[in-house]
C-alpha cells in the first residue's frame, strides 16, 4: 500500500512524525508521498525526506496559500532543490474559499503545469468549485500530450472525471469515499462512488490527505497514513476486487505515475 498524498510535515503531525511513519509501516504502508504547500513548508519537507527512506516528496504552491505569482524559474529551482522531490504540486484552483484572487491562482496553476512538463514530472492537482477552469488549464497545458498527473482527493463530477480520463490523468481516492450516506449527502456520495466504480482501474490511486479527512471509522481523529487501509478497502468494494488485488493495482499505478514504472 502506498499513501500517494499526505502532509506529514504539517504542524498537526510533524512533532510525532517518527511514530506516524512507524505506525504506517506496521499497517502495511510501504511508501508515503508527502506534500509541501509553500516555501514556508520547505524545511519541514526536507526534514522528513532526509529522515525516512520510504518517504518521498512533492512541492508546489497551494492555491489557497498563494499570495503572489511565482515565476517558472523560481518554482523549477525549488522543485529541484531536493532529490526526493518527485512531483509538482499540489497546485490547482480553489474557488470555494476564494482567499486568493482567481487571476493569481490561474497564473500559478499554468506555471506549475509548464514546470511539470519541462521537468517531465507528474502534476498533483487540487480542485474545488473550479471544474471548468481546471479542465481548460489542463487541456491548454497539455500541448504535446506530455502532461501527466493526478486529481488528488477527487471529489468532482463525472464530467470532470471524463475530462481527466481523456488527459490520461489518475484519480486519487481519499477517506471521503468511505463517508456514510445521510439525507444531506446521499446523491453526492452515490455519484462520487459511481464515478470511482466506473473509472479505469489502471488510473486509480489511494491517499489519506492526512492530517485531514480521516476515513470511517476514524472520523473526527487526526488522520495519518496508517488509516489508509480503510479507504483502500472501500475502493476495492466499489471496483468489485479483493483488497489484495486493489492493493497490488494501486501500488503499481503509483510506481507507473511517480517512478516511471520502476518499483524502487
Ligand atoms: Zn493535500
Amino acid at each position: 500500500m502506498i499513501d500517494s498524498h499526505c502532509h506529514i510535515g504539517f504542524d498537526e503531525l510533524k512533532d510525532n512524525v517518527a511514530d506516524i511513519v512507524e505506525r504506517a509501516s506496521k499497517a502495511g504502508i510501504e511508501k508515503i508521498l508527502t506534500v509541501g504547500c509553500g516555501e514556508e513548508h520547505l524545511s519541514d519537507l526536507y526534514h522528513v525526506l532526509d529522515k525516512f527512506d520510504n518517504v518521498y516528496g512533492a512541492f508546489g504552491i497551494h492555491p489557497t496559500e498563494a499570495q503572489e505569482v511565482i515565476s517558472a524559474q523560481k518554482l523549477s529551482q525549488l522543485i529541484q532543490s531536493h532529490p526526493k522531490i518527485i512531483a509538482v504540486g499540489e497546485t490547482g484552483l480553489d474557488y470555494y474559499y476564494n482567499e486568493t484572487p482567481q487571476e493569481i491562482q490561474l497564473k500559478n496553476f499554468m506555471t506549475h503545469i509548464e514546470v511539470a512538463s519541462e521537468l517531465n514530472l507528474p502534476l498533483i492537482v487540487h480542485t474545488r468549485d473550479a471544474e471548468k477552469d481546471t479542465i481548460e488549464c489542463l487541456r491548454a497545458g497539455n500541448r504535446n500530450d506530455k502532461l501527466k498527473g493526478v486529481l488528488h482527493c477527487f471529489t468532482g463530477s463525472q464530467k470532470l472525471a471524463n475530462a481527466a480520463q481523456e488527459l490520461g490523468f489518475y484519480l486519487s481516492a481519499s477517506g471521503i469515499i468511505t463517508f456514510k450516506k445521510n439525507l444531506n449527502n446521499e446523491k453526492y456520495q452515490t455519484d462520487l462512488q459511481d464515478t470511482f466504480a466506473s473509472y479505469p482501474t489502471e488510473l486509480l490511486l489511494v491517499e489519506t490527505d492526512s492530517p485531514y479527512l480521516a476515513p470511517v471509522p476514524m472520523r473526527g481523529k487526526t488522520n495519518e497514513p496508517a488509516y489508509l487501509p480503510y479507504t483502500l478497502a472501500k475502493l476495492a468494494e466499489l471496483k468489485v476486487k479483493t483488497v489484495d488485488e486493489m492493493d497490488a493495482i494501486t501500488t503499481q499505478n503509483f510506481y507507473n505515475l511517480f517512478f516511471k514504472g520502476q518499483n524502487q
Side-chain angles (χ1 to χ4, degrees):
M1 239 175 303
I2 298 182
D3 189 349
S4 73
H5 188 114
C6 62
H7 305 279
I8 58 172
F10 278 14
D11 289 348
E12 295 90 334
L13 300 176
K14 70 179 185 190
D15 292 338
N16 302 313
V17 75
D19 293 341
I20 284 166
V21 171
E22 198 190 323
R23 283 199 290 271
S25 294
K26 282 190 179 142
I29 316 297
E30 64 185 80
K31 280 191 175 57
I32 292 171
L33 183 63
T34 189
V35 179
C37 291
E39 268 188 274
E40 67 281 13
H41 293 289
L42 266 178
S43 62
D44 288 327
L45 180 63
Y46 294 154
H47 176 73
V48 293
L49 297 181
D50 290 335
K51 196 164 175 182
F52 306 103
D53 280 352
N54 63 337
V55 176
Y56 289 79
F59 180 79
I61 311 295
H62 195 284
T64 61
E65 302 211 357
Q67 292 314 321
E68 51 196 60
V69 169
I70 187 167
S71 72
Q73 192 193 11
K74 175 89 184 289
L75 180 65
S76 175
Q77 182 199 328
L78 293 175
I79 284 161
Q80 294 176 91
S81 66
H82 196 290
K84 288 176 84 186
I85 295 178
I86 58 171
V88 177
E90 57 188 284
T91 176
L93 302 171
D94 194 317
Y95 297 167
Y96 177 79
Y97 290 109
N98 236 340
E99 280 157 6
T100 306
Q102 293 184 6
E103 198 186 300
I104 292 181
Q105 293 193 35
L106 286 161
K107 275 203 176 125
N108 279 339
F109 188 25
M110 289 310 297
T111 301
H112 284 72
I113 293 172
E114 181 191 325
V115 168
S117 302
E118 240 172 57
L119 298 177
N120 195 23
L121 290 176
L123 187 75
I124 299 175
V125 178
H126 165 108
T127 176
R128 191 164 183 196
D129 285 0
E131 291 199 352
K132 190 170 156 286
D133 285 359
T134 299
I135 294 168
E136 274 174 22
C137 287
L138 290 175
R139 283 188 181 145
N142 189 37
R143 281 184 301 266
N144 311 318
D145 249 351
K146 271 184 69 181
L147 192 65
K148 53 189 179 157
V150 53
L151 302 188
H152 106 85
C153 188
F154 184 80
T155 54
S157 67
Q158 183 62 50
K159 194 175 162 198
L160 179 60
N162 292 343
Q165 191 180 339
E166 230 171 77
L167 287 158
F169 263 56
Y170 291 69
L171 298 190
S172 180
S174 71
I176 291 175
I177 66 164
T178 71
F179 290 2
K180 299 259 187 298
K181 290 175 190 171
N182 59 43
L183 276 176
N184 296 324
N185 71 5
E186 169 91 41
K187 182 171 174 357
Y188 174 79
Q189 279 298 99
T190 303
D191 288 350
L192 182 65
Q193 292 178 356
D194 287 350
T195 300
F196 274 103
S198 62
Y199 204 72
T201 307
E202 69 275 13
L203 293 176
L204 290 174
L205 299 171
V206 282
E207 67 174 74
T208 59
D209 205 12
S210 47
Y212 315 115
L213 299 170
V216 173
M218 297 300 175
R219 280 202 78 178
K221 293 195 178 174
T222 302
N223 199 7
E224 59 177 77
Y227 298 165
L228 186 64
Y230 302 108
T231 300
L232 179 73
K234 184 69 194 181
L235 187 64
E237 181 195 314
L238 295 173
K239 300 300 288 182
V240 200
K241 304 265 182 211
T242 67
V243 172
D244 284 351
E245 285 168 340
M246 207 63 230
D247 182 6
I249 290 164
T250 52
T251 297
Q252 187 57 50
N253 291 348
F254 179 89
Y255 287 119
N256 290 346
L257 178 60
F258 292 102
F259 288 95
K260 303 185 173 74
Q262 308 238 337
N263 186 334
Q264 48 178 283

